[in-house]
Amino acid sequence: MLETIERETAPDPRWAVIWLHGLGADGNDFVPLVPELVREGWPAIRFVFPHAPVRPVTINNGVPMRAWYDIRELDLANRADEQGVAESVAQVEALIAREGGRGIPPSRIILAGFSQGGAVTLAAGLRRSEPLAGLVGLSTYVPGAQGAQAALVEGATRQPVFMAHGSQDPVVPYMAGKQSAALLRRLGFNVDWHVYAMPHSVCAEEVRDLGDWFAARLAGG
């Protein structure tokens, strides 16, 4: 089981958000977002921020760092190490199962991620036959997009998706995010797509829009 940081917005949470950080960061990265995102009147939520394993990353000269998968080259078609993605999806599934053991079913779990973490989120979403409450992919893309149709399982498209990207992103190009959102729509997902004038980061307007999306999910549960 991955080591995690947890924050609960109130006692006895009945909802959970599992949030995956980006390359080279760790679970602490998005903890400060909780008070910015959470709104008055929301049910109690457990936020779970796992730390990715430390592994050598090819494009960073093989230097070990926290990463959900190896990045072999900048070309998106061959960027993600498929085995690493699959291993991370399995680790995320273990976290989802743990929340189930604590009384929170998949229908009240939102899986979110930024950059590499978002890629794992979308990869996991394609493969979930029991839908989560929603998927959030920020500044990210669908890894192994050419195999997305084959990876898709029945029931997965019932998961609503929030995707957002910076128009000035130098790390994961804006078009990669846009094309991934279009791919998910073609597969049958309901994708809420947003673009912001920012680089590879998160902005206040994005947090506001994400809060609106969260509110709609929480109201439906």
Side-chain angles (χ1 to χ4, degrees):
M1 186 71 67
L2 293 171
E3 182 184 354
T4 62
I5 297 168
E6 295 186 4
R7 295 289 185 270
E8 295 183 358
T9 62
D12 194 26
R14 285 291 173 262
W15 285 80
V17 177
I18 300 172
W19 202 302
L20 312 182
H21 62 77
L23 176 67
D26 65 17
N28 292 287
D29 205 28
F30 281 90
V31 173
L33 192 74
V34 173
E36 297 179 32
L37 179 67
V38 173
R39 299 179 181 178
E40 187 176 352
W42 282 8
I45 304 170
R46 176 184 297 119
F47 283 84
V48 179
F49 300 97
H51 301 304
V54 174
R55 70 181 80 218
V57 176
T58 301
I59 64 162
N60 288 342
N61 298 315
V63 174
M65 61 184 62
R66 291 200 181 275
W68 297 108
Y69 51 85
D70 184 25
I71 298 179
R72 297 171 299 195
E73 56 185 82
L74 292 177
D75 174 41
L76 279 175
N78 301 302
R79 178 176 292 193
D81 159 37
E82 291 183 13
Q83 181 179 343
V85 171
E87 290 170 357
S88 288
V89 167
Q91 289 172 316
V92 168
E93 287 294 340
L95 293 175
I96 292 170
R98 184 176 70 172
E99 290 309 306
R102 297 199 278 190
I104 302 179
S107 60
R108 292 203 300 269
I109 297 173
I110 293 172
L111 181 59
F114 175 80
S115 195
Q116 253 209 350
V120 171
T121 291
L122 298 178
L126 286 169
R127 293 159 174 80
R128 274 209 67 86
S129 57
E130 186 176 4
L132 300 174
L135 307 169
V136 177
L138 308 180
S139 302
T140 193
Y141 65 102
V142 175
Q146 65 278 7
Q149 178 73 62
L152 182 68
V153 300
E154 186 176 353
T157 58
R158 287 185 282 166
Q159 300 168 114
V161 180
F162 180 99
M163 287 187 70
H165 219 99
S167 58
Q168 303 153 22
D169 193 331
V171 178
V172 179
Y174 159 73
M175 284 305 299
K178 183 178 180 180
Q179 289 168 359
S180 289
L183 168 63
L184 292 175
R185 282 175 174 156
R186 286 197 303 274
L187 293 176
F189 286 88
N190 179 8
V191 181
D192 197 350
W193 168 250
H194 297 262
V195 182
Y196 307 95
M198 64 178 185
H200 195 63
S201 60
V202 175
C203 67
E205 185 183 1
E206 180 180 22
V207 174
R208 182 201 67 202
D209 291 340
L210 182 58
D212 290 343
W213 186 87
F214 263 76
R217 310 283 82 74
L218 297 171

